[in-house]
Structure formats: structure tokens, C-alpha cells
Amino acid sequence: ISTNALMDQLHLKYQQKPWTETLKLVHFCMDKPLRRPAGSPSDSLLLSCMEKIQRTLNAKSLFSVLNRLESLSKQKGLSAHISPTGTSCYITSTMFYIEVQLEKDGKVMDVKLAHFGEAPVVKMKNYDAFGKILEDLSNLYQIPGNSEVKAKGYLALQALEKDLYSMFLLYRTQDVNRVTEVLHGKVGHLVPRTGGTPMNIEFYISPYQVLDEELNPGSQVFGTKAVVTVEATDVLHKLPLSPLLVDSQTGKDGNPGFLPLTEELSMDLPAFFVLKFHQPIPMSSSSIEQIQRIQITGLKLAPLYELIVQSTLQEKCSEDLSTHKSCFFVSLPDCPKHCYFINWGSEKSDLAGALVSKIPFSHPKCVPGVIEILRHQVAYNTLISSCVSEKHINEDDSEQLYFEVLPHKNTSFSVFFLHPVEDNLACVIIDVITSREVQCHLHLNPQDPTLNSSDDFIARAVKR
């Protein structure tokens, strides 16, 4: 029977029935667990539909909560079992299990998680994010091989996390706040892994976001983050199986000391560690080259400014703005409107870039250096993106100031504008030395009158 004919029959069957009866039928179906395994594509579609209906019904009864847990588990490729009492659900895999304890009315009391060879601990009570937690837990063990190899991969991730957290504490002082940790900490502001939620590192926050926090105390603005996890590879990498940081003390160069990666402390595994970003970061080819001994593959090069503009528009606009735009209007308080023309430049080696979604590595000592390169790149991107807005058509041309933003070299760029009292062009070259240092140089026609702005003043304004 065709789908259209089937839908016609269903409409005909239920058009005479009141909505309350249909609603009762839906609730009845949700209270009957789906016992057969999801083996075919049609089963997966059915499970997905059931999960959506259960979410809409808000899982208010014990039966519907258990059904939703079963449905979520099967979608993530896990097994789910209900206890004889009917108030607990056990979700299992070869590497971990989760016990969800429920009250008679369906409220979640506790969720216990136990990894391979570990005692169970109470980890989470956030039922709304449970599907994501199951997915993150499963992803921890997506390493090819038997259970022993998968367990070694988890041990390697644990060892890395302990070293990163030790580094985080090593450079931390009691009076330091989160923003300072984000901008200056060796490993940024670090939040340890909880259950299936990976460890995350917040490593950059823009001056505007810092200002938001200062003006609105208590409202925490989050910057650019990366999660720390382990992923499968086609080749073997030597990964540590126990922490390598030595006595949590820094060496003569100010960097932490690590034990050598011996056969006893490491193992060749078909995996590597990764810093994974929530949104891909536009990175220049020179920044990518700075990340030595790390293979970032599958990158498609394009003009860096094109990538920055597209990423910024994706973040600022909900509608599709995939068409190429290079002229943007920005309104500033007590100031004429600014019109920015962004010149994308060419695909020369130091002006090209790529969208980077993750950075692989195999040793904890790599992380501080990578974090600093990322900060530098994101600080540069933030300056360019401040000239980008969703408004690319202007109805009013009065009191308009025009600027052209042009790539210069490496992490510097030029801003051209009309001299305030002459018809010649003026130019400011902005050089982002590091994420914390900016140098600016004003260039005028020698015959034009000077402007009441020193290089130092411009640099301080741009940095702020």
C-alpha cells in the first residue's frame, strides 16, 4: 500500500473520533515498551519518532520515563534493562553501565555511572541532557579493538586529564578570577570531565565579553572553548597510560617537567587525543604550521578573511547568508555610521587559511603551546569580525565614514580611511603580536596635517 493511501485510510479512520481519545491512544502506546531490537532503518525511524513524542509528553509518568530511557539507549546503540521493581533502569555497554533510580511518579532520584573496572559514583541528575551524556560516554570508547584496547584508551584519556588538571592548578593562585585564567592561564580555564561530559578548556574571551561581565556582575559570559577527548585513528600513536607531570613543579624555563614516555608508562594505540571546538575556527596557514609535529589533515584552504566573515555571519545571523558579502555597516554609540569594506586578499601562503574543527596531539606538554597559538588566532579573528555585521545594505548615506580592511602579512592588517580634513587616504597598520599585545602605526601623507592620535593611544583603544 502506498504512503498516501495509508494516510488517507488513517485520516478516514480517526476523523470521527474526538482528540481526547486519540491523545489517550498515544499515551497508551508510549506506556508499552518497545521490546524488539532496532535492527532495520524503519526501526530506527520508529524509535526516533517515539522519542520525539515522549519528549513532547514531558515524561510525567514512571512508564513513560522508562520508555524514553529505553528509546534513548537503543538510539545510541546501548542495551537497557528494567529492574524487577520497575523503578530502576540499567543501561549497559561492554565498557560502562549506568543505573537510573526513579521514584514511583517518574522523578529521577539518582544516576550512577561506572566505567570499566571502577566503582559506581553518583554523577548526574540532568535528565534533559541525558541523550547527549549517553552519546558522549559511547564516544569515549570508539577505539577499534577488543575491550582491553578500549579500556587502555580510556586510561590514556584519564592520564591526560590528570596532567592537564595538575597544570591548571600549578599556575593558579587563590585570588585569580575566571577571566584571568581564560586569558593568561597555561591551559586556560579548565573544567574537569563529569560522567560523559568531556573536560573543557575555555581559552579566550573578547574585550566586549569582559566588559559585559564587568557591567553585569553575576552574568557569566562564556568565551571560546575546546573539549578534550580521545578519537580513533588508522595508525598507532604512543599514548601515556599514567600521569607524566613530575611533582607539579615547573622547570628552569617556567614549563612543567614530564616523565619520559617509556614502554612502562605508555602504549601504542589506534587513537590520539584531540582538542575539539564547538564551532570550527578560521586559522591562517602560518598558525597551522606553528603547531609542529601535529598532523591536521583534510583542510581546504581559502582566503582567511572570507572564512572569518562567513563564520561571523553564521554566528550573528539566523538566516542563510551564504552569498559573498564584503561591505558591512556598523553603528556605534554617539558616532556616525561606519561602513567597512573587507578585502579578502588572495590565497597566498600567509593570507590563506582553513576552518579547523579539532587539533590532534599525543602528549600533555603540547597543550599549553597549542592554547597560546589558538588565543593569538582568535584574538586576530575577533578584531576582523568586529567589522562584520548582518547589515550589508544601508538606507541612509548621511554622516557615513568609510573604511577598507586589508590583509597585510601574518597577523597584521591595514585599515584605510579618508583623512578628516584632506582628500588623501590615511592608514593604520594593526599588528596583533600576541593575544595580549597589539601594536598600531598611523601613516599619513607627509603633506597632510597630523592627527591628535599617537600610535600608543590607538593601540590602547584597539586592545580595549
Side-chain angles (χ1 to χ4, degrees):
I1 188 170
S2 69
T3 303
N4 289 337
L6 178 61
M7 293 306 296
D8 288 340
Q9 287 186 22
L10 286 171
H11 286 144
L12 184 65
K13 180 177 180 180
Y14 288 102
Q15 67 181 356
Q16 303 299 326
K17 290 182 179 290
W19 171 245
T20 52
E21 286 191 23
T22 303
L23 192 60
K24 285 180 182 177
L25 178 62
V26 172
H27 275 284
F28 178 77
C29 291
M30 292 303 97
D31 284 344
K32 294 294 182 184
L34 187 66
R35 297 299 180 187
R36 61 195 181 91
S40 67
S42 59
D43 288 336
S44 300
L45 287 172
L46 179 60
L47 286 172
S48 177
C49 291
M50 285 183 64
E51 199 276 331
K52 289 178 183 176
I53 295 173
Q54 287 161 348
R55 190 189 310 127
T56 305
L57 294 177
N58 204 22
K60 291 180 179 178
S61 71
L62 177 62
F63 285 125
S64 57
V65 172
L66 291 172
N67 282 341
R68 187 171 178 192
L69 289 173
E70 282 193 310
S71 175
L72 281 170
S73 303
K74 289 172 182 175
Q75 283 184 29
K76 307 304 178 186
L78 304 171
S79 300
H81 311 279
I82 309 300
S83 69
T85 60
T87 56
S88 294
C89 179
Y90 299 93
I91 300 168
T92 60
S93 79
T94 56
M95 303 310 300
F96 66 89
Y97 83 86
I98 297 172
E99 178 185 347
V100 183
Q101 296 178 354
L102 305 162
E103 295 181 357
K104 293 290 185 181
D105 59 359
K107 289 184 179 178
V108 178
M109 293 170 58
D110 286 313
V111 181
K112 296 181 180 179
L113 166 67
H115 288 278
F116 184 80
E118 292 182 0
V121 289
V122 177
K123 282 288 185 183
M124 48 207 159
K125 295 186 179 180
N126 187 350
Y127 177 64
D128 292 333
F130 197 70
K132 183 67 170 68
I133 289 168
L134 286 181
E135 186 175 336
D136 288 336
L137 279 170
S138 297
N139 288 340
L140 289 180
Y141 295 102
Q142 295 302 312
I143 299 172
N146 56 26
S147 298
E148 184 179 352
V149 174
K150 293 178 185 290
K152 295 293 185 184
Y154 177 67
L155 280 177
L157 178 63
Q158 275 188 318
L160 171 70
E161 291 172 337
K162 288 175 182 176
D163 277 338
L164 292 180
Y165 192 64
S166 296
M167 275 192 273
F168 172 62
L169 296 178
L170 179 61
Y171 296 97
R172 193 184 197 191
T173 56
Q174 279 190 333
D175 57 344
V176 73
N177 59 27
R178 183 183 68 91
V179 172
T180 303
E181 287 176 345
V182 171
L183 294 174
H184 300 276
K186 280 280 188 181
V187 289
H189 176 72
L190 187 147
V191 178
R193 175 169 54 90
T194 55
T197 305
M199 170 182 281
N200 75 75
I201 291 174
E202 188 180 7
F203 58 86
Y204 182 79
I205 187 168
S206 74
Y208 277 120
Q209 291 173 311
V210 174
L211 185 61
D212 280 343
E213 285 214 350
E214 291 175 356
L215 296 177
N216 303 292
S219 65
Q220 203 172 44
V221 181
F222 293 105
T224 309
K225 294 181 178 180
V227 298
V228 181
T229 187
V230 64
E231 287 192 356
T233 60
D234 296 329
V235 296
L236 296 177
H237 295 87
K238 190 176 288 295
L239 300 182
L241 297 181
S242 61
L244 301 176
L245 195 65
V246 181
D247 298 330
S248 295
Q249 293 182 356
T250 58
K252 293 179 181 179
D253 57 356
N255 293 317
F258 293 93
L259 294 170
L261 207 58
T262 61
E263 294 295 330
E264 292 77 18
L265 297 177
S266 66
M267 182 176 178
D268 289 329
L269 293 170
F272 51 28
F273 304 130
V274 291
L275 291 174
K276 187 180 290 186
F277 312 116
H278 297 288
Q279 297 292 335
I281 296 177
M283 294 188 70
S284 67
S285 54
S286 58
S287 292
I288 294 171
E289 288 169 6
Q290 285 182 57
I291 306 174
Q292 298 175 353
R293 298 186 300 276
I294 296 176
Q295 299 296 319
I296 307 177
T297 58
L299 297 181
K300 184 180 178 182
L301 290 179
L304 178 63
Y305 280 27
E306 179 181 356
L307 299 175
I308 294 174
V309 168
Q310 289 178 349
S311 296
T312 306
L313 287 176
Q314 263 188 335
E315 186 179 334
K316 290 184 177 181
C317 311
S318 54
E319 71 267 22
D320 182 21
L321 283 176
S322 56
T323 54
H324 295 312
K325 303 294 179 185
S326 58
C327 174
F328 305 97
F329 296 91
V330 179
S331 297
L332 299 175
D334 303 320
C335 196
K337 285 184 180 177
H338 288 198
C339 177
Y340 290 97
F341 294 90
I342 297 182
N343 189 322
W344 288 349
S346 63
E347 294 188 22
K348 293 178 184 177
S349 59
D350 57 346
L351 300 178
L355 290 174
V356 177
S357 57
K358 60 186 178 183
I359 296 178
F361 63 100
S362 58
H363 197 287
K365 70 180 180 183
C366 299
V367 175
V370 171
I371 291 294
E372 196 54 38
I373 293 170
L374 288 171
R375 279 189 184 126
H376 191 183
Q377 182 68 64
V378 176
Y380 183 81
N381 295 357
T382 300
L383 274 175
I384 304 302
S385 65
S386 69
C387 305
V388 178
S389 75
E390 60 272 23
K391 191 173 183 183
H392 49 85
I393 299 174
N394 190 38
E395 300 81 12
D396 181 16
D397 288 335
S398 61
E399 293 191 57
Q400 193 78 42
L401 296 178
Y402 294 91
F403 302 86
E404 182 179 15
V405 180
L406 182 69
H408 193 242
K409 59 180 180 180
N410 295 328
T411 52
S412 66
F413 60 96
S414 306
V415 181
F416 290 91
F417 57 95
L418 196 64
H419 192 287
V421 294
E422 297 291 340
D423 288 335
N424 290 323
L425 286 176
C427 171
V428 174
I429 294 180
I430 300 174
D431 192 1
V432 185
I433 307 298
T434 70
S435 62
R436 294 171 286 274
E437 184 184 358
V438 179
Q439 290 182 358
C440 300
H441 301 285
L442 175 64
H443 298 272
L444 303 172
N445 187 309
Q447 299 175 352
D448 290 344
T450 59
L451 300 178
N452 189 24
S453 292
S454 67
D455 289 351
D456 179 62
F457 174 80
I458 300 172
R460 283 188 284 116
V462 170
K463 182 178 177 182
R464 178 163 180 173

